[in-house]
Amino acid sequence: MVSATTSTSLDDVTAEIVRQFDVSDASLRAISDKFVRLSRTGLELPDQAMTMIPTFVTEVPTGNEHGTFLAVDLGGTNFRVCSVRLNGDGTFNLLQAKSVIPKNLMVGNAVDLFSFLAGKVRDFISTHLDEHFSQSESHVLKLGFTFSFPINQTAINRGTLIRWTKGFDVQDAVGKDVCLLLQDQLDALNLRVHVAALVNDTVGTLMSRSYASPGQYPTLLGVIIGTGTNAAYTESLSEIKKLSTSSSSSFSSSSPSSIMVVNTEWGSFDNDLVVLPRTEYDEAVDLVTPNPGFQMFEKRVSGMFLGEILRTVLLHLNNTGLLFVGATSQELSTPWSLDTSVLSLIESDSSPELVSVKAMIETDLELSTTLSERLAIKRIVEAIGRRSAYLAGAAIAGVVLHTGVLDRLPYVDVGVDGSVFEFYPGYENLIRESLNAVLGADNEGKIRIGIAKDGSGVGAALCALVA
Ligand code: GLC
């Protein structure tokens, strides 16, 4: 870490920290190159960190799909239950209920977690779908289960949990089929609901973007940049070499389809940190997570970690006597006390006195600041945010290069969802700078990026439909 001596000023140290978070064009290209290599390896070999999971989704929607489905979404701090009516014209109606997952269930046992989820499905059905129960005894509602963690998927509604990410740690669920864990608890409540599809949120994003904006060229990629980060894309079936060698797979290579959606699990790209940037602040953050050494790409990009990276830098500057001079606070020394929304807010304050930054630091950290301190904090925030978007851009460029899509099509469509992409000021422009650095301006111009709202609900419904 940068240490203060009597001659160093906050300005000098800030400049050095900003430099550490900088990612050069050459590094971005090295990241994309390695991404292409790891994509190939992951499609060929099982058990790679960047897992390249075949999802058994072999078609993407056209926009004409019809029907009403239930969808549930477990993947971040909230659990969502929704009913989705697909109107067949690219539009949908969505009704949803959100609940915070109690912290103790995130690190407890599988039965407690999944019975909590089933209970929320029961509550939703009895509040919103009474008519469902007036139907015949034999009517079963199909449910798409968005479960956004690495899964060893063996069929559209079968998959065992490889490992938890994003702060979850329910050990007795690892290695178990998460569809069965949920189905058992739904059955225990006598709900006539069938878990028909297991869907990663990135797959849902890809599906819902394809449904809602069917264009001349199909959507290639669904990306999440929220609590975690990941992407799914359409791959030629023949390229997924490990599918034909896997004994656990129930997929027949005689399938008439020629594509399959692959969930990359890019959060674990370059866990060995050969091409990813590393600062001592990243190392400190990694050590307070339940999975040190894993999800190293995610820990530099996604919302769960950006606030903690910032807090770590600010604490260091405070410890070296350069920031909040003579003061400190409990919040500043408590891991995870800063949310990523804090970075979005600091980034968007363009007032000369940085008044929102001032108020936010007073509320969230209970510390007062001088203008020069606030200017330094803003520069640090910009550096952390820019690095996140640049890395995300390099990975998107990696998928574009890996698929060679620009050799075949004049445009590529990318659907993105997640709080960082949606709310971080200027994030898409920063992604574009990175695409430009890796692919060149011409190719960058051929990449269409659009928000894919409610991907996990609508996408899961679409998967339940095709299941
Ligand atoms: C984590 C999960 C991944 C998910 C992503 C975004 O990286 O491992 O499955 O898609 O978060 O929620």
Side-chain angles (χ1 to χ4, degrees):
M1 293 191 186
V2 187
S3 48
T5 66
T6 42
S7 61
T8 49
S9 67
L10 178 58
D11 255 8
D12 295 338
V13 176
T14 301
E16 173 55 18
I17 292 171
V18 168
R19 194 199 56 72
Q20 290 178 18
F21 279 94
D22 194 34
V23 195
S24 67
D25 289 1
S27 303
L28 292 173
R29 284 193 283 270
I31 289 166
S32 291
D33 285 352
K34 181 163 184 189
F35 192 94
V36 173
R37 288 200 301 282
L38 291 189
S39 301
R40 269 193 230 118
T41 314
L43 289 173
E44 221 162 281
L45 303 175
D47 307 329
Q48 300 300 295
M50 196 168 95
T51 327
M52 307 298 280
I53 301 167
T55 63
F56 298 84
V57 174
T58 54
E59 51 191 308
V60 289
T62 59
N64 300 328
E65 292 76 7
H66 274 283
T68 300
F69 301 88
L70 267 184
V72 298
D73 177 8
L74 180 73
T77 39
N78 291 313
F79 178 64
R80 290 198 310 154
V81 185
C82 35
S83 65
V84 183
R85 195 170 72 226
L86 304 170
N87 300 321
D89 57 359
T91 68
F92 57 84
N93 300 85
L94 187 132
L95 200 64
Q96 66 164 323
K98 238 191 219 184
S99 2
V100 174
I101 301 160
K103 282 263 181 305
N104 61 318
L105 294 185
M106 290 170 67
V107 294
N109 66 68
V111 168
D112 288 350
L113 175 63
F114 283 84
S115 68
F116 169 83
L117 306 186
K120 295 292 172 192
V121 175
R122 178 196 50 204
D123 297 349
F124 183 87
I125 289 176
S126 57
T127 316
H128 299 293
L129 291 179
D130 267 352
E131 72 278 19
H132 169 65
F133 287 105
S134 61
Q135 292 172 6
S136 78
E137 274 297 308
S138 60
H139 185 91
V140 172
L141 204 54
K142 275 186 172 185
L143 177 142
F145 183 14
T146 300
F147 182 81
S148 304
F149 300 93
I151 284 289
N152 183 10
Q153 194 150 3
T154 49
I156 186 83
N157 69 342
R158 284 284 166 273
T160 53
L161 175 61
I162 300 173
R163 60 179 180 275
W164 291 102
T165 53
K166 298 176 285 194
F168 278 78
D169 192 16
V170 178
Q171 272 313 313
D172 66 339
V174 174
K176 302 246 171 68
D177 187 321
V178 293
C179 285
L180 293 178
L181 288 175
L182 180 61
Q183 189 70 61
D184 284 351
Q185 298 306 320
L186 293 167
D187 293 349
L189 297 176
N190 292 320
L191 298 175
R192 291 197 302 281
V193 173
H194 168 61
V195 183
L198 176 61
V199 189
N200 188 266
D201 51 0
T202 57
V203 180
T205 300
L206 173 57
M207 299 293 274
S208 77
R209 172 86 183 164
S210 304
Y211 173 76
S213 47
Q216 203 181 350
Y217 303 106
T219 304
L220 171 74
L221 186 62
V223 179
I224 297 281
I225 311 171
T227 306
T229 185
N230 187 18
Y233 73 104
T234 46
E235 179 60 277
S236 308
L237 207 41
S238 57
E239 293 299 315
I240 314 176
K241 307 262 191 294
K242 64 183 175 187
L243 210 50
S244 47
T245 51
S246 156
S247 54
S248 62
S249 155
S250 62
F251 191 75
S252 151
S253 52
S254 60
S255 155
S257 185
S258 62
I259 61 114
M260 186 181 279
V261 175
V262 169
N263 164 12
T264 62
E265 286 295 330
W266 78 19
S268 264
F269 166 73
D270 195 35
N271 278 345
D272 44 1
L273 299 180
V274 174
V275 291
L276 283 176
R278 64 201 294 179
T279 70
E280 292 186 44
Y281 312 105
D282 297 308
E283 279 162 21
V285 170
D286 188 35
L287 289 178
V288 294
T289 63
N291 55 353
F294 290 89
Q295 301 292 104
M296 299 307 253
F297 179 77
E298 181 163 81
K299 286 174 184 170
R300 283 152 178 74
V301 173
S302 78
M304 176 161 178
F305 305 97
L306 299 184
E308 181 59 7
I309 296 173
L310 174 64
R311 187 196 67 85
T312 308
V313 176
L314 299 186
L315 181 64
H316 168 70
L317 288 174
N318 182 237
N319 287 340
T320 50
L322 288 168
L323 194 66
F324 317 125
V325 179
T328 192
S329 73
Q330 184 65 38
E331 284 70 19
L332 181 62
S333 10
T334 306
W336 310 108
S337 63
L338 283 188
D339 192 77
T340 298
S341 55
V342 163
L343 282 91
S344 299
L345 191 146
I346 293 176
E347 185 74 67
S348 58
D349 185 355
S350 51
S351 66
E353 298 290 314
L354 298 179
V355 283
S356 307
V357 178
K358 181 171 189 288
M360 193 280 304
I361 303 229
E362 269 161 21
T363 318
D364 283 43
L365 294 179
E366 297 192 341
L367 289 164
S368 48
T369 47
T370 62
L371 178 58
S372 53
E373 287 179 322
R374 295 196 289 281
L375 287 167
I377 293 170
K378 188 160 193 286
R379 284 169 66 200
I380 292 164
V381 163
E382 285 163 358
I384 296 171
R386 187 180 321 109
R387 188 183 71 165
S388 157
Y390 276 18
L391 295 179
I396 293 173
V399 179
V400 169
L401 291 171
H402 163 72
T403 54
V405 63
L406 287 178
D407 301 336
R408 298 190 302 273
L409 298 177
Y411 293 104
V412 182
D413 188 60
V414 178
V416 192
D417 198 1
S419 50
V420 175
F421 181 79
E422 197 179 355
F423 301 121
Y424 200 94
Y427 201 84
E428 182 183 336
N429 286 339
L430 293 168
I431 288 185
R432 290 206 166 274
E433 286 177 19
S434 172
L435 291 173
N436 194 329
V438 179
L439 302 172
D442 275 3
N443 285 335
E444 181 266 311
K446 295 178 187 164
I447 297 176
R448 296 182 171 165
I449 301 178
I451 189 100
K453 280 302 294 162
D454 292 318
S456 50
V458 179
L462 285 157
C463 290
L465 172 76
V466 297

